[in-house]
Amino acid sequence: MLSQAVVKRLKEIVGEKNVVTDKVGLLTYGYDGTLLSGEALGVVSPTTTEQVVEIVKLMNEHDIKLVPRGAGTNESGGTIPSEKSVVISFTKMTKIHEIDTENFVAVVEPGVINFDLQVELAKKNFYFPPDPSSFKASTIGGNLGECSGGPKCFKYGVTRDYMLGLEVVLPNGKVIQTGGRNFQSEPGYDLTRIIVGSEGILGLVTKVFVRILPIPRAKKTMLALYDKVEDASQTVADIVAAGIIPTTLELMDNLLINTTEDFTHAGLPRDAGAVLIIEVDGYQEDMDEQVKTIGEIASKIAKEFKVAQSAAEVDQIWTSRRSAFGSVARVRPSYGVNDITVPRSNFPKAIGGVLKVAKDFGVTIGVVAHAGDGNLHPLILFDQRNKEETETVHAAEQALCMMALDLDGTISGEHGIGLVKKKYLDKEFTPAAMEAFRKIKRSFDPSNRFNPGKIIDL
Amino acid sequence: MSNVNISKLKGIVGDAYVIDSPSEMAKYLKGQGKPAVVVLPASTSEVSSIVKLANEKNVKLGVGGAVVDTQGITGGIAMVMSRMNRLLEMDQLNLVAVVEPGLLHKEFLLKVAEFGLNFPPEPYEIETSSVGGCFAIGDSDSKSFEYGPTRTFLLGFEMVLPTGEILEIGNKCIKNVSGLDFIHFAVGSQGTFGIFTKLLVKLLPAPAAKKAVIGTFASMHKANAAFNTLIKRNVHPTRMNLINASLAKNAKPGTEGQLVIVDLQGFKESGKNIANEVASVLTLGGGSDVKIIEEGAEYDQVINGWLKVRAELNAKRSRTVEFVVGPMKMPQALAQLEALTGDLGAYPGVIVEGLLGYVCLALPEGTDKLDLATKVNKLAMSLGGNVKGLLGHKLKADVYNDAEMWKQTTSLLNELRQQFDPKGILNPGVSLEA
Ligand SMILES: Cc1cc2nc3c(=O)[nH]c(=O)nc-3n(C[C@H](O)[C@H](O)[C@H](O)COP(=O)(O)OP(=O)(O)OC[C@H]3O[C@@H](n4cnc5c(N)ncnc54)[C@H](O)[C@@H]3O)c2cc1C
Ligand SMILES: Cc1cc2nc3c(=O)[nH]c(=O)nc-3n(C[C@H](O)[C@H](O)[C@H](O)COP(=O)(O)OP(=O)(O)OC[C@H]3O[C@@H](n4cnc5c(N)ncnc54)[C@H](O)[C@@H]3O)c2cc1C
């Protein structure tokens, strides 16, 4: 419980309606995209950097921790209040300060929803390349907190690559600016890069300078259907070997084809073993040649290959893919999202590994993957109310992580570590690397005030 | 007296690779400091043993690719990485290379090209740079609009920490958010967090076609106006650079006026059309001798001309000012700059990276660098930019009149450095103070 004095002071800082302390109100902020939950002492939603500074100072005086939160869609337990803490929600900092298309920069507050930024940019024929499938709900602050990926990473990279500068409130309440509006503004160390992906444990981001790009002149979306997942991964390897860098190489297996069909009726054949969504973009005059090469490569193994002929067809394909996570909820009440990544060449082995885990543990697993990146999201379907089954699922998830590490991969390609994967972190990193993380955390936050318990313990 | 134990060093790397006669040491050193010894390790474990030895005796240690900056290491050890120059692996399936840090950047490029691949980062010192130095400096370059800055191409590394401990991090996955991002944070840390001993480098397929369009302009302003036209037309070449008249001759002998170099790397079909579009825009914008270059040798000559001028400016870094503005603000920036510098065509040196809004000025004799940088920074800030790097950051804080922000930033930088190097052993000459 927060003392009356603290609550009063919080309300003075951010206004009455931006402080939540009632039980029901707190409940909502105890969850995120995972199945974990916790309870915060309170929730406070600042609207300015100055308010954030005041909140940090107040919390420091009372030795209360802060858990930063955007939309709470993360899949890592990154916003679960895990110690005596107040949630600082950025959902009311939603100003788009500036869109400067001439100079390829936008300046936004952290609570801006990715989609809302895209809509504003699209009016000017621009876009912000990072677009996690959750882009309709997730915030720029959350995207940078996790260094989110999405379907375009193979060509365009991840959130990290589009962050030019940040305004950050440090755990001591001081404000710094990292980077700026271009590639050459970092002060000695690349502070922006260490904040990106730090899941709120180093600083609170209150302003973001992002790099924006013009929408490519042309784009082609293709669909290839396969009998087996392994066949699809062969196409991926062959496309890369041909020197083509598609924007997108997304894969769904038979289970996901069926669950998304139930949901969207996009017309994917339910008996297909896998579908691959392939997209290329660039100049109009380069499209035909690439589509032709990709078509030849895919047709060697695919049972069907087609090029979307209209915007409506493209939309339909993407609706399927974007509804993938949600669609499985119809099959079983709960699902666990995994996020393992392996070097592209080990992708077929990883698929084999997932099948083996499903068999060994007797669980149902569907796979969606950013196949070009070697990033797999095996979705394990189960019923959380069944305790025994839930434990089996956790064991299976651990097995998936270890399988990825055995294939020289990583336990997280884009969702982050948070609480969920913290226990496996020392399987991926040597003691020296783990200590390097602690050195960084100690430099920013020696008293462990921001998002304690996430990623590493001090 | 120095605390360096020469015989122990010889025990680690072998007699031949410990050099302590001043005349022989000279070719490995630059600057005014007087280290006691130059040592050339051949392996990670040798690097680690040397650093541990330095720790025991509290001896300062400086690192360099082929030549070590001696600032701050008088009486200490200068470590040269040039013997660790192997390409350990070229993984075409994953588009990844594993290299040792002492491999020269230019040699690495040749090997990468043999495999039909591309490594875009382009350090200023293109002739002498090592791959390790390239990531330790971690800059952007005139191709970064298209390919991203240097850090984009690092997936992991092995590093000997200032304590001598060996740290390995990263993997061949192009997407990886596990742990904190020490991988990219280490890029640009100038050897203060540790010594790279192995680098896991991301590569790209080589572009199918390369072309260049060149032209000369009577004024810098007209050339920049043409750049703006291209950006407005949604044409984003691989580079779009400008060299002022005083330097243009060094890039391309016989050039009269300011030289524009537009580089187009990409596909065959669009390449042709874009080259024509660029050529027309340059011509209409007042360019003369506009020419599309398709032939490989001539293309290389043009690009190498640019790189040569770039390196010449870097050689005089204490006499240059570098700044950035929004790319479309460049015409305004140069107009305002001329109020400070006079005719830019006649200035000792001006180069512009049009897509990145970057300018490097070579100062005339007698110019007060800090004074000019302060004025230039104010100008740049009003146009969405700043003076480059650490200095720019300090000047920015000055403009905000925010001494506290600068103090906070510096103390954070120093705290980070101290966490990694509590004894202050590694590269003490590298300053984070500006
Ligand atoms: C259906 C679905 C699909 C998804 N698809 C993808 C996908 O394709 N790719 C992908 O990468 N992820 C995906 N995700 C995961 C998730 O959406 C992303 O991680 C997203 O970026 C989180 O944004 P958020 O606003 O919800 O942040 P939150 O979940 O609220 O926070 C994420 C992290 O950032 C920190 N944080 C938030 N704001 C700030 C701030 N202002 N300052 C400092 N730290 C802050 C939090 O403490 C937390 O650690 C998906 C999730 C769902 C539910
Ligand atoms: C003060 C200064 C600033 C410069 N700034 C730029 C710039 O912004 N952009 C640019 O392109 N060029 C810059 N240069 C030129 C730069 O040195 C070269 O472009 C080149 O890339 C560096 O490679 P090198 O092998 O010559 O490194 P060196 O000149 O030997 O070293 C450069 C830096 O990297 C460190 N270093 C070298 N090898 C390792 C290693 N294996 N592990 C860890 N650290 C290592 C050194 O200690 C030193 O701090 C700068 C040079 C100097 C002296």
Side-chain angles (χ1 to χ4, degrees), chain B residues 4 42 48 54 61 87 101 150 196 225 249 252 254 266 284 323 348 354 424 426:
Chain B
V4 178
S48 167
L61 191 151
L87 173 63
T150 301
F196 291 125
K249 294 179 189 64
K252 190 167 178 292
L284 286 171
F323 71 94
L426 207 55

Side-chain angles (χ1 to χ4, degrees), chain B residues 63-65 123-125 129-130 136 139 190-191 196 314 317 388 427:
Chain B
V63 191
Y124 295 169
E125 294 294 349
S129 174
S130 65
D139 204 10
Q190 300 176 73
F196 291 125
N314 186 64
R317 0 188 2 99
K388 178 175 169 174
N427 274 354

Side-chain angles (χ1 to χ4, degrees), chain A residues 27 49 67 69 145 160 196 207 211-212 319 324 399 411 413 432 441 446:
Chain A
L27 206 59
T49 305
V67 177
R69 180 181 170 106
R160 172 196 317 125
V196 172
K207 200 194 277 180
R211 184 170 189 234
I212 54 174
T319 306
I411 59 176
K441 168 75 172 169

Side-chain angles (χ1 to χ4, degrees), chain B residues 221-276:
Chain B
H221 303 284
K222 286 209 159 158
N224 272 299
F227 286 176
N228 273 14
T229 308
L230 285 171
I231 294 176
K232 276 198 201 126
R233 293 174 70 103
N234 221 352
V235 175
H236 308 106
T238 306
R239 359 172 173 237
M240 193 163 79
N241 297 348
L242 169 63
I243 306 174
N244 82 333
S246 334
L247 287 179
K249 294 179 189 64
N250 305 7
K252 190 167 178 292
T255 305
E256 290 296 328
Q258 345 280 330
L259 177 65
V260 162
I261 300 175
V262 176
D263 181 8
L264 300 165
Q265 308 187 355
F267 289 93
K268 289 199 185 75
E269 288 306 313
S270 58
K272 255 185 267 166
N273 298 342
I274 307 282
N276 288 332

Side-chain angles (χ1 to χ4, degrees), chain A residues 184, chain B residues 30 62-69 79 81 100-105 122-126 128-141 150 159 189-192 194-199 310 314 317 322 388 426-427 430:
Chain A
Q184 306 202 317
Chain B
K30 64 179 174 199
V63 191
V67 173
V68 181
D69 190 336
M79 187 188 286
M81 302 305 288
E100 290 186 329
L103 179 63
L104 286 184
H105 174 271
E122 196 167 73
Y124 295 169
E125 294 294 349
I126 201 84
T128 54
S129 174
S130 65
V131 177
C134 176
F135 283 106
I137 293 283
D139 204 10
S140 58
D141 58 69
T150 301
M159 175 184 262
S189 63
Q190 300 176 73
T192 59
I195 302 167
F196 291 125
T197 47
K198 208 187 273 178
L199 298 140
R310 189 94 213 53
N314 186 64
R317 0 188 2 99
E322 299 171 276
K388 178 175 169 174
L426 207 55
N427 274 354
V430 172

